[in-house]
Amino acid sequence: MRVVIPYTDRDPKSRLAPMLSEAERRAFARAMLCDVVETVRRAGHDPELLVPEPIDGANTDTAIDDVSTTVDDRALTPAVDAAFDRIGEDVPELGIVMADLPLAAPTALRRLAAIGGDVAIAPGRGGGTNALVVRDPAFPADYHGASYRDHREAAVTAGLSVGVVDSMRLATDIDDPADLAEVLLHGEGRSHEWLVDAGAVLDTADVLLGVRLGSRGQVVRRIAFRLPV
């Protein structure tokens, strides 16, 4: 199966700004992309990047420099909709996997691909849609707001059947500083390695869990949040 991975270098992961500089966010986003590309390959699928502009050759990585790339400078929803137009006799299904899922595992992607129905959805935390497998071009993408709910409603309106995969690893997208703790706790790939190299460590105290970035042993940036009880 061809798996399309939307990605952009334009001010990536802006909500991580309290912890990471713009250059750090760009490097971390690229590390997450490499993790996702590798996971797609290990799951037995063919990755394809969907980007608004060609990726800067000076910043390419060996994990992605040979990946097929489609350039579409429209917003995410119309760009993904255009990708769905390929679905037909020669392309029976198409996957869409977000680039900020460094915890995604091949087994989770295989579960998603194995779900029956016209549309398979892996919801993200907070109501988003982190991964899709679409088998009917009548399905319309809608990545605004609570897209998981909107995608289910769109499928019903179009008369399409829906399967859902409940997976922690596919549900965990990295958007906010507190999400970095998930990468440190559960990650094993380049994203985890990048954070460790940057000096990130888990910071625990009672029911608080956080991440701190240090420089030469001195804490320079810290984020903490309360664990659920």
Side-chain angles (χ1 to χ4, degrees), residues 155-170:
V156 171
T157 299
L160 305 177
S161 56
V162 178
V164 177
V165 168
D166 181 7
S167 165
M168 179 276 286
R169 290 189 170 274
L170 289 179

Side-chain angles (χ1 to χ4, degrees), residues 17-21 24 198-201 203 211-223:
M19 286 292 285
L20 304 176
S21 69
E24 289 171 330
V201 294
D203 191 0
V211 175
R212 69 174 186 263
L213 271 72
S215 176
R216 297 180 181 177
Q218 181 180 8
V219 176
V220 293
R221 283 163 285 180
R222 184 178 188 276
I223 185 73

Side-chain angles (χ1 to χ4, degrees), residues 120-138:
I121 305 177
R125 298 174 303 172
T129 302
N130 285 356
L132 287 167
V133 173
V134 178
R135 302 181 176 97
D136 192 312

